[in-house]
Amino acid sequence: MENISDFKGINGQLVSFKNEVENAQKITFIGSPGVCTPFAELLSYAVRDKENHFIPLLNKNDCHQFEYKSYGMVLNDEVSSPDGSDVVVLLGGLTMPKYDVSTDELNDLIKDILKEDGKIIGVCFMDMFARSNWLDKIAFDCVIDASILGTVKK
């Protein structure tokens, strides 16, 4: 994959994401529970005019739709269907060894829910998809990778 553009900060990441999914109507995020859920909430807020779903790990039967509330995006209580998604967004937490996600099973899930002309987008921090060798195993159309630099001050 080659670099297309650079961005700074959370806002830059959100704008980059919003641009990548501008023609989509239905977006499904797949990520690790707890770790990826808040990032999916943030990304879905940036495109709250679209239908957004979240699948924890590979559990399609536990898919829930995001709902806009005055305080942000939340997953509703009803199980929803991710089938027919225009975009599938894979979140970097899936690559964490403790989740032991099979890329073969993940590709099967993507094939099951993504429209034929749909896009696969990766959103991660610190080059997680490259470091886990997923760039050779998943047919990403785009990866939005951010770096986190931090300082603790007292």
Side-chain angles (χ1 to χ4, degrees):
M1 300 190 99
E2 66 180 82
N3 289 350
I4 302 300
S5 65
D6 294 320
F7 60 85
K8 287 186 179 183
I10 297 287
N11 188 58
Q13 185 183 39
L14 295 176
V15 169
S16 296
F17 176 72
K18 191 172 182 175
N19 290 339
E20 284 297 323
V21 301
E22 67 184 342
N23 295 321
Q25 291 304 309
K26 185 173 185 178
I27 300 168
T28 297
F29 298 87
I30 304 175
S32 59
V35 175
C36 293
T37 312
F39 293 106
E41 289 172 348
L42 183 60
L43 292 164
S44 68
Y45 181 80
V47 291
R48 59 192 172 278
D49 59 323
K50 303 180 186 301
E51 183 180 333
N52 293 284
H53 299 261
F54 182 79
I55 298 175
L57 299 176
L58 302 178
N59 191 356
K60 178 182 172 182
N61 295 326
D62 196 19
C63 181
H64 293 268
Q65 187 170 346
F66 282 105
E67 194 175 313
Y68 176 72
K69 300 283 188 181
S70 61
Y71 47 84
M73 301 299 279
V74 296
L75 291 169
N76 65 21
D77 291 332
E78 298 175 24
V79 174
S80 63
S81 173
D83 295 345
S85 292
D86 300 302
V87 175
V88 168
V89 179
L90 303 181
L91 299 166
L94 290 170
T95 68
M96 295 171 71
K98 73 178 188 174
Y99 294 116
D100 195 29
V101 171
S102 160
T103 53
D104 290 335
E105 290 177 27
L106 181 57
N107 276 317
D108 289 343
L109 175 59
I110 293 167
K111 185 177 179 182
D112 185 42
I113 66 174
L114 187 63
K115 285 184 176 177
E116 191 172 317
D117 61 344
K119 290 172 67 172
I120 302 171
I121 297 175
V123 177
C124 66
F125 293 94
M126 312 305 291
D127 224 12
M128 291 295 289
F129 292 118
R131 292 187 330 176
S132 62
N133 296 316
W134 279 30
L135 297 179
D136 297 330
K137 298 173 183 173
I138 305 289
F140 289 106
D141 292 286
C142 171
V143 173
I144 300 170
D145 177 49
S147 295
I148 300 175
L149 300 173
T151 304
V152 176
K153 298 180 180 183
K154 288 188 177 186

